[in-house]
Amino acid sequence: MNALVWSAGIAIALLVQAGAHAEEASTGGIYTCVDASGRRITSDRPIAACIDREQRELGPTGTVRRVIGPSLTEHEKAVQAAQLRKQQDEANRVADEKRRERVLVARYPNRAAHDAERAAALETVDSVTAVAVKRIQALKEARKAIDAEMEFYKKDPAKAPMKLQREVAANDAEIQEQQRFILSQGQEKQRVNKRFDVELAQLRQLWGTRATEPSVPAGTAAQ
């Protein structure tokens, strides 16, 4: 008999609780806030005086249904959107940097690999420069024959045939062009070394970070 009474009591309590929830859900909310003057205002609808501050919607039992943030002006919305875009841009920049770091370490797993590629890049510049040096040597050899012909006109070079004068001018111009090219290749070597120096400084940090990371035993699955 006691068990029956207890069961009936539990059932009645559950029905009462369910009824209270149903009543709260069907009843309009109560809105409350503290306005700019410090007064607490309560209303059965959103409070216009608190549009610029936080409001709380309460149920009939006084429980907080939701917290309503302050409404933003168009300018405030634009500022907020700009801040969100800035945050997203920064997150994208960080993610891109991490991807570049992973690619860099994969390409150069150690100092030897990086040094080898630096040497190969510098060798390419040197080989191109060597071609220009050989071209200047060939032009100087050709100039000897031209100067031999110009010897007849050394007292008055302007009397030399136009063809010969053009050969002198072309020879001078090409030698100068090759010299400028050699100079530019020297600058290119400086750029190559600078690029590899910057990479090496970054790689040293990445290699150091990788060396200090805890190793995962082979066959251990990630948790």
Side-chain angles (χ1 to χ4, degrees):
M1 181 65 180
N2 286 340
L4 246 145
V5 171
W6 181 79
S7 298
I10 291 295
I12 291 170
L14 290 174
L15 287 171
V16 170
Q17 186 178 7
H21 284 306
E23 181 181 356
E24 182 173 339
S26 63
T27 306
I30 300 170
Y31 297 85
T32 180
C33 70
V34 177
D35 69 5
S37 302
R39 296 178 303 141
R40 179 166 292 281
I41 304 175
T42 303
S43 175
D44 61 351
R45 65 194 64 191
I47 303 165
C50 290
I51 195 170
D52 62 339
R53 61 197 60 244
E54 186 179 275
Q55 302 185 46
R56 293 176 182 271
E57 183 184 359
L58 308 177
T61 62
T63 57
V64 178
R65 283 183 177 176
R66 60 176 175 150
V67 176
I68 305 171
S71 298
L72 301 177
T73 64
E74 290 303 316
H75 174 70
E76 289 170 335
K77 289 178 181 178
V79 171
Q80 186 181 67
Q83 290 175 338
L84 291 173
R85 285 195 299 271
K86 185 177 179 181
Q87 292 171 358
Q88 186 60 50
D89 290 344
E90 177 62 16
N92 291 339
R93 186 195 66 77
V94 171
D96 288 343
E97 181 64 24
K98 292 296 182 185
R99 280 193 292 271
R100 283 193 293 270
E101 288 177 353
R102 288 195 296 270
V103 170
L104 195 61
V105 172
R107 183 173 181 177
Y108 306 116
N110 50 52
R111 175 68 183 268
H114 192 255
D115 285 349
E117 184 149 336
R118 182 201 292 257
L122 293 174
E123 185 179 354
T124 298
V125 178
D126 286 340
S127 63
V128 172
T129 303
V131 172
V133 170
K134 287 182 179 179
R135 179 57 184 159
I136 289 177
Q137 291 172 347
L139 288 167
K140 287 181 176 180
E141 286 297 320
R143 183 60 177 264
K144 291 178 181 179
I146 297 173
D147 288 344
E149 290 186 51
M150 285 293 295
E151 189 68 23
F152 294 102
Y153 310 99
K154 63 180 179 180
K155 291 184 180 179
D156 190 359
K159 291 183 178 180
M162 288 303 300
K163 179 177 179 296
L164 188 57
Q165 292 184 38
R166 284 194 295 269
E167 288 178 354
V168 171
N171 186 275
D172 286 340
E174 190 168 354
I175 287 177
Q176 291 174 5
E177 182 181 351
Q178 295 298 323
Q179 289 172 337
R180 285 193 297 269
F181 179 75
I182 291 171
L183 179 62
S184 72
Q185 291 306 295
Q187 294 169 343
E188 177 63 17
K189 286 186 72 171
Q190 292 178 352
R191 285 192 291 269
V192 168
N193 275 317
K194 184 177 181 179
R195 175 173 69 84
F196 277 91
D197 287 343
V198 170
E199 283 183 352
L200 183 58
Q202 185 178 13
L203 281 165
R204 280 173 173 156
Q205 293 181 345
L206 296 174
W207 291 330
T209 301
R210 186 180 60 180
T212 57
E213 288 178 351
S215 59
V216 178
T220 302
Q223 300 298 317

